[in-house]
Structure formats: structure tokens, C-alpha cells
Amino acid sequence: MNRSPIVFLGILASLAVSFWGLIFIPQTQIGQQQATNTLDTAELYPAPRAGLAKKGADVYRAQGCVECHTQQVRDRSFGSDFDRGWGLRFTVAQDYLGDYPVMLGFQRIGPDLTNVGLRRPDADWHFRHLYNPQSVAPGSLMPPYRYLFQKRRIGWRYQPAERALKMENVPAGYEIVPSEQAEALVAYLMSLRAQVELQEAPVPRPRNAGTNAAPAQGTTTNGTNAAKAPAAPTAPAQPATPATAK
């Protein structure tokens, strides 16, 4: 009896079950995950992005930023992400709820951007960085995105813009103004803040926390109770000497 078809069907069934268990079940579980409360506040995390930041995510993807930047702070065992100041904890699936597609990235030609909104809370810095990266980050490998800005002459047609870049080497009578795409991109970068403490991703505490703290009142440095120590003897009071008139 030829059992080759049965063996083939068994192998095919095993592959199908494995594929279902590794792909579809996790996708179903994560896809149904909802925002939950953080450990330190009653607010839901992650909060939905504003409309301008959502548009900025499309600009981020269209400009290919994901090719040079990641958005995943890795565990301490995988590198020095924490030492570089890229985050206080490693990222988890909840950090990406509401993002579609999730732009994890895989190369770090530039720094990780998971918490760039906290590291760089100044929007003007981001605009100058996009227009001329060398002006704020000397030695940066990032190319300039000057086509996201407009160089225009101030006059009867254009009044000075509030968002005009404050940069050197701008010709007199001209200004550099961000376009709508640049405004949206910076809004998206400012919204990248994944540093709240979660149950599955607590913020690591320093190992020597509290070791250098001052001893509590009534306690000596070796931990003994100072109130139980005998008081030092005091000298008897001397009678007052009457003052003599000269």
C-alpha cells in the first residue's frame, strides 16, 4: 500500500497548524489589544495621535525615514540603548497600538526615534534639523530636506511668518518657511513618546537606589537606634559670679 499521499497530507497539515499558531493566533491576540491605564496615571496609553501627527506619519514613511531610523528601544541585553538616552525601558506591543503600518525600522544609520519627542521637545530644532542637519547636529549623515521648505521674499505679497526658521546665512529680505508636509512631519516626531511605565514594561530602578540616603532621625549610620544610646554626662552647673563695679 502506497502511503505517500498520507505522509504528504500529514506534513501539509503540520505546516498549516504551525503557520496558524505562529502567525494568525498572535495577530488575533495583538489585534484585539486595547489601550490600558499606565501604572502612574489613570490615563489610557497610548493616546491617539492628533490629526496633524497622523498626516506626519505618512510623510515620515514617504520620505523613507524608516530606512535609517528605528522605533524600538531594545532590552539591556541587546546593546546600550538606555545608556544612549533613547529610552528608560524597552518597547512592547502596546507602544504601537493605533500605528498602521508599524514603522519599526531595521537600520540605525541615525538614532532611534522612539522617544525623540521627549529628547527634543523644541519644534524649531526639528525644523532646522530637517532644513540643514549640520546646523544643529555637526557630523550628521542625514541629508537635508530643503524641498519641504519654501524660501520666499518678505514684502507686499508675503508678511513675515511666525514659523519662519531662525537660521544664519539667510539672505536679507528673505525667510525660510516650512511647508504643510514639514509641519506634519515635525508634529509626528513630537508625538513619539513611549516612555510611560507599563505593567509589562516597568521602568528599571537603579540598583543602588537609597544606599546613599541620609539616615532617618534617631538612627545612626550603622542602623542602630540612637535614642537607646546612653546620654553623655554633663558637667554640673557653676554658680553665677556677681559682677563687680570698676
Side-chain angles (χ1 to χ4, degrees), residues 120-214:
R120 298 291 185 181
D122 184 8
D124 291 334
W125 186 94
H126 291 282
F127 284 119
R128 296 195 304 270
H129 187 232
L130 289 173
Y131 185 80
N132 183 12
Q134 297 290 335
S135 63
V136 293
S140 174
L141 299 178
M142 177 174 165
Y145 290 84
R146 296 182 180 178
Y147 54 86
L148 296 179
F149 298 81
Q150 180 183 8
K151 180 181 178 181
R152 63 190 190 185
R153 187 169 185 175
I154 304 174
W156 64 271
R157 183 178 179 183
Y158 296 111
Q159 298 298 322
E162 295 182 0
R163 184 58 81 180
L165 272 63
K166 301 178 179 61
M167 300 183 63
E168 299 178 355
N169 301 326
V170 177
Y174 288 84
E175 63 181 2
I176 307 298
V177 181
S179 65
E180 294 182 0
Q181 287 184 316
E183 295 271 6
L185 179 56
V186 170
Y188 172 71
L189 294 175
M190 297 285 289
S191 71
L192 296 179
R193 304 184 176 193
Q195 199 157 281
V196 298
E197 188 170 15
L198 302 176
Q199 184 175 2
E200 66 271 30
V203 176
R205 297 292 187 268
R207 295 182 179 179
N208 58 348
T211 57
N212 297 327

Side-chain angles (χ1 to χ4, degrees), residues 217-236:
Q217 185 177 4
T219 304
T220 60
T221 56
N222 59 1
T224 60
N225 193 335
K228 296 181 181 179
T234 57

